[in-house]
Amino acid sequence: MSGRKQGKTKTETSGPISPSRSIPSRHASILVSAFLIVILLSFMQTFASVLSQNEKLVILAGFTGGLLFFFSLICWGNIRGEILWIDVILCLVIAMLSASSIHGVSVTTCFLFSGAFLYYTNHYSQKTYDTAKTSLKKQ
């Protein structure tokens, strides 16, 4: 045998989040998501009359409401440290109320886009953090 230690390969030690990619701190994430919430709310309310004129713009308003849901969920999750179902429902109600000020169809599309954002956020979170837990258990 050679004098080299049999260690883990680079992919096993780097984990799902490599050291070269930095993760923003909780405070930075709260500030950025709160800023985007304010921007989205002001955009939706400022251009409410324009967004309700056309079918495509009504769907855009629902998408904007879905983004509002996504960023409010990120902000609230970083403030509390965890997300419960009641938090998801609260963020969804806030997003749907803001979409309802534009058009009724915007509420429906906001709900659909929010469901898609929630699914992919949950999927990505499980993929990232469950892999990290698994690699910690192996060590």
Side-chain angles (χ1 to χ4, degrees), residues 8-130:
K8 296 180 180 177
T9 63
K10 184 176 181 179
T11 57
E12 290 175 345
T13 57
S14 64
I17 302 172
S18 67
S20 63
R21 294 187 303 170
S22 64
I23 299 174
S25 68
R26 284 179 62 178
H27 300 293
S29 181
I30 291 170
L31 287 175
V32 169
S33 58
F35 176 73
L36 289 171
I37 289 168
V38 170
I39 294 295
L40 288 170
L41 277 173
S42 61
F43 170 77
M44 288 174 77
Q45 297 308 311
T46 303
F47 296 106
S49 61
V50 175
L51 290 172
S52 63
Q53 290 178 354
N54 189 340
E55 292 175 357
K56 292 179 182 178
L57 293 176
V58 169
I59 294 172
L60 176 67
F63 180 75
T64 308
L67 287 175
L68 181 67
F69 164 77
F70 175 73
F71 289 119
S72 63
L73 195 65
I74 288 175
C75 185
W76 189 249
N78 281 320
I79 290 170
R80 289 204 48 198
E82 66 176 350
I83 294 288
L84 302 174
W85 279 107
I86 191 71
D87 302 327
V88 173
I89 292 169
L90 175 71
C91 292
L92 183 62
V93 167
I94 291 169
M96 289 173 68
L97 283 174
S98 66
S100 72
S101 67
I102 295 173
H103 196 275
V105 176
S106 295
V107 178
T108 307
T109 55
C110 173
F111 179 76
L112 295 174
F113 283 120
S114 297
F117 287 139
L118 182 63
Y119 173 77
Y120 285 111
T121 302
N122 186 31
H123 176 72
Y124 182 74
S125 175
Q126 284 181 349
K127 181 179 167 184
T128 302
Y129 295 111
D130 284 349

